Structure formats: C-alpha cells, structure tokens
Amino acid sequence: ETGVTQSPTHLIKTRGQQVTLRCSSQSGHNTVSWYQQALGQGPQFIFQYYREEENGRGNFPPRFSGLQFPNYSSELNVNALELDDSALYLCASSPLALQETQYFGPGTRLLVL
Amino acid sequence: QQQVKQSPQSLIVQKGGISIINCAYENTAFDYFPWYQQFPGKGPALLIAIRPDVSEKKEGRFTISFNKSAKQFSLHIMDSQPGDSATYFCAASVVRKELVFGKGTKLTVNP
C-alpha cells in the first residue's frame, strides 16, 4: 500500500456540473500531482502542488483547478463537466526524501453523462 | 507530441517465459525512468526505476536495461507468472517534475 487514499472511488455526474475529488497522502509527502487516465491510455499530467503552491500544469483548461492543504490532503475541482472528462483521476504524492518518486492512489472513476 | 513511445501495445507470454517491453524517449533532460504496474480498477504501482547513470538495475524477477545514447530503456520480466498479467507503463521525468507516461503494454501470461 502506498498510503495515498482518494475519495470517492466512483462518481457519476451530468454534463455542466461541477465535481470535487479528494486525495490524502502520508505525512512528509509535500508534493502532490494529479493525473487523468482515459480508458486504455497512460496517465496524463494535470498539475502539481508543492508546499501548497501550484508547481506546474499540463495541457488542461482552467476549469481544472486544485488545492493542497497543510495536512497533506489535496483537492481537484473540475467545473462545467464535459463528456470527455470521463476518466480515472489519479493522485500521486512524493516523499520529501525521494522527490523523484511518485506513489499513486487507487483513483476516482468519474463518469459524465 | 508523444515524448515517451512504448511497445508493444500487447504481449502474450507463456508461464516461465521472459516478457520484454521497450520504451524510447525524446527529451534528453529526463533523468528518472520508472516502470509502473497497473491492475484493472487500481492505480499504478511503482515497480522499479532507474537513473541514467546506471545501465541496468535488477530487483527480483524485474530488470531495467537503459541505453542513454539510444534514448531507450526496457523492462524484462524473468520467469513470468500469471499473476504478472497487468498493464505496464514506462514513464520519464525530470526530478520534481511531472511523469510523462507511455501508452502502456497489456501483458497476458498464460498458465
């Protein structure tokens, strides 16, 4: 087990709605990254937070936003949901001592109807 | 632009055989190359990783071979078992930056 947990496990939304996904990592993991994994594809980088500040962003529109909290938890918010947002959303955290290593949570499966 | 190219897309191996998955990268700034294993409905799990100053790394039945000049690296699974059946992803990153993933290889190990 990586110690990275995500909630909820599954979620169904309709187009145009907003969604918040949550991630909790281990103590000492000060970097958190979010990835989107479409069916049959590799994970795609959304953004990364380091010490509560955004530290890089992939090719995703501004309606994807995030937060990192002092207690090592993080949120991914997606506004104005589109059908193509249906995917597995993965959170990954990195320990302070091994910054290159990213440990993934089990993911949240989002279905947009 | 796909920065990490992975092949084959799928692979079928008999129990006890060797599974080989290959990846090629373009960005010479990459300095960390992990392999992840993913089972259906689960998140990717780190399997083994290598830095470019090492040409080979072995952990149990899993070995990474790295060719810096060719910008290629590969995963070898020795004595493949049915429990190894999963999707394998190679990835690359600059330290403290995002992972760039290949498209994945679905491995099936027949008993």
Side-chain angles (χ1 to χ4, degrees):
Chain A
E1 296 296 323
T2 64
V4 181
T5 59
Q6 292 186 244
S7 63
T9 56
H10 296 83
L11 201 53
I12 299 175
K13 291 285 188 179
T14 57
R15 192 172 49 184
Q17 285 189 310
Q18 178 266 343
V19 68
T20 297
L21 310 182
R22 294 178 174 84
C23 170
S24 179
S25 56
Q26 299 180 57
S27 173
H29 285 217
N30 60 356
T31 302
V32 63
S33 302
W34 285 89
Y35 294 81
Q36 180 196 66
Q37 186 177 23
L39 203 60
Q41 300 295 316
Q44 296 288 317
F45 174 69
I46 302 175
F47 45 59
Q48 182 184 85
Y49 280 81
Y50 173 67
R51 293 183 175 180
E52 303 171 47
E53 296 288 330
E54 188 176 291
N55 186 44
R57 189 179 184 91
N59 189 26
F60 280 81
R63 59 189 184 85
F64 286 77
S65 63
L67 286 171
Q68 185 185 26
F69 302 101
N71 67 350
Y72 312 108
S73 66
S74 176
E75 286 182 356
L76 164 65
N77 298 287
V78 187
N79 293 321
L81 284 167
E82 300 177 0
L83 298 180
D84 285 348
D85 294 335
S86 296
L88 180 68
Y89 287 85
L90 297 161
C91 163
S93 69
S94 300
L96 182 61
L98 293 170
Q99 286 289 297
E100 69 271 21
T101 305
Q102 295 191 29
Y103 297 100
F104 284 83
T108 293
R109 174 73 64 185
L110 173 65
L111 177 61
V112 182
L113 301 176
Chain B
Q1 181 183 9
Q2 186 183 356
Q3 294 191 59
V4 178
K5 294 183 179 180
Q6 183 172 348
S7 63
Q9 186 175 357
S10 63
L11 181 63
I12 300 175
V13 174
Q14 292 299 118
K15 179 182 176 181
I18 302 173
S19 304
I20 301 174
I21 305 171
N22 300 299
C23 284
Y25 64 98
E26 300 169 4
N27 187 350
T28 56
F30 288 146
D31 59 2
Y32 176 69
F33 302 87
W35 284 89
Y36 283 86
Q37 177 191 58
Q38 187 176 31
F39 293 103
K42 304 293 185 182
L46 179 64
L47 200 57
I48 186 172
I50 199 168
R51 300 294 294 270
D53 54 345
V54 176
S55 61
E56 185 175 283
K57 183 175 181 179
K58 182 177 181 179
E59 289 184 1
R61 297 185 293 110
F62 301 92
T63 300
I64 298 179
S65 297
F66 187 84
N67 186 330
K68 187 175 181 179
S69 60
K71 294 187 289 184
Q72 295 176 347
F73 58 111
S74 60
L75 175 70
H76 292 62
I77 306 175
M78 311 299 289
D79 186 26
S80 298
Q81 299 297 311
D84 296 331
S85 297
T87 299
Y88 292 81
F89 292 96
C90 63
S93 75
V94 177
V95 172
R96 288 187 293 278
K97 295 297 184 182
E98 71 272 17
L99 289 166
V100 179
F101 283 85
K103 291 190 173 183
T105 296
K106 184 176 182 180
L107 172 66
T108 302
V109 181
N110 288 328

